[in-house]
Every structure is written in C-alpha cells, then in structure tokens.
Amino acid sequence: MAVRRASHSGTWYNESAKELSTQLENWLGAAELTHGPARAIIAPHAGYQYCGACAAFAYRQISPFVVQRIFILGPSHNVRLSGCALSSAVKYSTPFYDLQIDDEVYEELESTGHFERMSMKVDEDEHSIEMQLPYIAKVMQDYKDKFTIVPVMVGSLSTEKESLYGHIFAQYLADPKNLFIISSDFCHWGQRFRYTFYEKSWGEIHQSITTLDHKGMDTIETLKPAAFVEYLKTFSNTICGRHPISVLLQAANHLRNQKLSLKFLKYAQSSKCYNLGDSSVSYASASLIIE
C-alpha cells in the first residue's frame, strides 16, 4: 500500500502536528465565513509563512459535515504534462493523519482514457497538491474517516483540453457532497520569473501587480472561460494554476442552469516590488457557491 510522504513538511510548513494545528487555527480564526458553503475554492500553494494566512480565507468557507469527497487540482511545476495525471499512491500523509484516495472515482476517471498515472517521485516532488493537504486535514478533522480525496495533477492544457476536462469534472462539481480545491498562486513577478510587466499609470510596481491580478480575479469571477483565456493572452500573467482554474470555469459552464457565484475573499503579496531587481509572488483565495 503506497503512501505518499509529506515530502515538504519541515521546510514549506511545520512538521509538528501540535504547532501546525495552532498556526492553522489562528489563521482560520482570523478569517470570516462570508461566502459558503463552498463547492469549490481557489487557494495558494506557497510556503505557509507566505500564504498560510491568505489560504485560510478560502478554507474558512468549507462546510466539513457536507463534504464526502475532495478533488484537488494542482498544476505541474516540474514535469511536462499535456493532460492530467492521477497518483500512484493509495494514501497521502500529513502531519495530522493520512488522507485516503478515492479508488472508485480514480477508476471512473481512468476509464475515460484521458488520465495517466504519475510516478511516486513526480508526485512527491510536486508541491501544488501537497500544500493543500494540511489545511484539508485540519478543516475536516472531526470527519476524518468520512471523506476521501481525488488528487489530480493538471498539465499545460490546450483550450480544447481544458474544455474536455471541464466536461469530465462537471458531473462531480454538480454533486453537493463533492468539494473542489484549485491550487494556484497568482502573479510571479521579477527577472527570476522572466516576467516584468509594468503599467506605470497604475502606480508603483507592486500597485501595478495588484491591479493586474485584480483584473484577472474579476475575470475569473465572471465564470466565463473565454474571458479568462483572453485576459491571459492580453497580459500573459504568470498565474501558475491557470489551467486548473480554467478547468473549473469550464466545469462550472456546464451548470449554467444553476445559480453559481464565485468570489475572491483575500489577496496578498510575498513582498512589495519597487524596482526591476525586486521579485514577488501574489496569492489569492476564492470560494464558489452553488445556490
């Protein structure tokens, strides 16, 4: 029985369950429940010292007693992938307890012919899914034997493939027992990211980044996949989870007969950029509800 190690604990987040629990409790306590119960959230995946407080605003919207299955869609940072990949593990380890992968849904997804399996090494090297796991374990702790997870690594998808995967996931998004977690940071700005877009009329560099990100967030809130594609074409904003976000928008597009509302609740930057030598990563948390 293959268990994926918590390979980023002790570096990207605290490996002590007691200390990590206190930290997450404090952040969740500072966030308000304003847009729930969430059917999907967008949450950042950097080291918790940078984005943990921001991520809490998304996780605060989850209603744990409703949720029985959690889909986690994270981008691939280390390997080239043109589709989506499933884990080879049966459980994912966290400092709190192990999270059980949903075999049944994995079989359903594999039967479509559109999913491959990633190796354990690829899985453990990637941080985008793992950084969501401690928050999931914390929020779901009172129901820890009553839910499963469906981790999916999302590659560099074409617009056609985003639509295809959106179609596949739509039936799961329609079920109120399911929760989708979309793992994404926002603008990666600076020469080390090879992205230095700056609109002087928007103020200092960090203010330009804020405006740029908020334009993207506003576009995502419209729930129009084509508008988000157009935004990315216009600004080339380095949103690392753009493909998972697009898959969510495509899935939501199939539920147009229902009343959907996506709202961004918190925005933050790792640091403020004032000149070309500076760099920063932006974080944003959102919640999608279906009334």
Side-chain angles (χ1 to χ4, degrees):
M1 293 241 300
V3 179
R4 184 200 180 278
R5 294 178 304 124
S7 51
H8 293 73
S9 74
T11 48
W12 290 54
Y13 57 92
N14 204 310
E15 62 196 329
S16 155
K18 186 168 181 284
E19 288 172 32
L20 183 61
S21 181
T22 302
Q23 192 177 45
L24 298 186
E25 271 168 25
N26 288 341
W27 285 330
L28 287 164
E32 285 180 40
L33 172 56
T34 55
H35 200 70
R39 192 72 68 86
I41 63 170
I42 299 171
H45 55 233
Y48 280 2
Q49 70 196 84
Y50 301 108
C51 75
C54 179
F57 282 79
Y59 278 93
R60 184 71 180 83
Q61 314 311 312
I62 294 169
S63 189
F65 66 92
V66 178
V67 175
Q68 293 177 14
R69 193 184 287 123
I70 300 176
F71 290 76
I72 312 155
L73 275 55
S76 173
H77 287 85
N78 307 313
V79 295
R80 284 193 176 280
L81 187 64
S82 61
C84 288
L86 307 176
S87 178
S88 304
V90 292
K91 288 181 180 176
Y92 273 18
S93 186
T94 80
F96 300 124
Y97 54 90
D98 290 350
L99 306 181
Q100 182 74 42
I101 288 179
D102 195 305
D103 293 339
E104 195 183 321
V105 173
Y106 257 23
E107 279 173 27
E108 289 169 7
L109 294 177
E110 263 193 318
S111 71
T112 67
H114 295 296
F115 293 83
E116 59 184 91
R117 290 277 180 165
M118 56 177 143
S119 69
M120 188 64 88
K121 184 184 186 313
V122 166
D123 201 345
E124 290 185 344
D125 285 349
E126 180 55 59
H127 64 274
S128 70
I129 292 172
E130 181 180 338
M131 295 310 293
Q132 309 302 334
L133 305 179
Y135 254 120
I136 291 170
K138 180 64 186 168
V139 168
M140 298 297 294
Q141 63 189 358
D142 292 344
Y143 302 87
K144 64 182 179 185
D145 301 320
K146 294 187 168 64
F147 77 98
T148 52
I149 60 167
V150 184
V152 180
M153 185 187 278
V154 179
S156 299
L157 308 182
S158 63
T159 308
E160 292 72 30
K161 281 195 175 174
E162 288 168 352
S163 175
L164 166 76
Y165 286 109
H167 181 70
I168 290 169
F169 286 120
Q171 59 167 317
Y172 299 104
L173 182 63
D175 185 343
K177 295 191 292 292
N178 293 333
L179 169 73
F180 276 74
I181 293 174
I182 308 299
S183 185
S184 182
D185 294 336
F186 271 68
C187 184
H188 297 61
W189 196 94
Q191 288 167 334
R192 70 190 181 104
F193 299 118
R194 297 193 293 281
Y195 185 74
T196 52
F197 171 86
Y198 176 34
E199 175 51 66
K200 287 188 173 64
S201 67
W202 295 348
E204 297 278 4
I205 293 174
H206 67 90
Q207 293 168 316
S208 171
I209 296 167
T210 299
T211 302
L212 173 73
D213 279 331
H214 276 84
K215 281 180 181 290
M217 290 151 64
D218 291 347
T219 305
I220 294 164
E221 284 184 353
T222 68
L223 293 170
K224 292 176 180 165
F228 187 49
V229 169
E230 193 54 40
Y231 164 82
L232 292 169
K233 266 190 198 153
T234 304
F235 296 104
S236 303
N237 193 359
T238 43
I239 301 170
C240 55
R242 57 193 174 277
H243 298 296
I245 291 170
S246 291
V247 169
L248 174 68
L249 296 180
Q250 290 285 0
N253 211 30
H254 287 280
L255 310 183
R256 278 172 302 199
N257 57 339
Q258 300 186 55
K259 196 176 174 202
L260 283 73
S261 167
L262 191 150
K263 252 193 192 148
F264 277 89
L265 308 167
K266 191 68 177 173
Y267 176 77
Q269 292 173 0
S270 60
S271 55
K272 285 188 174 177
C273 295
Y274 291 94
N275 59 63
L276 275 177
D278 294 338
S279 65
S280 75
V281 180
S282 307
Y283 314 113
S285 283
S287 170
L288 170 74
I289 59 173
I290 302 179
E291 290 169 24

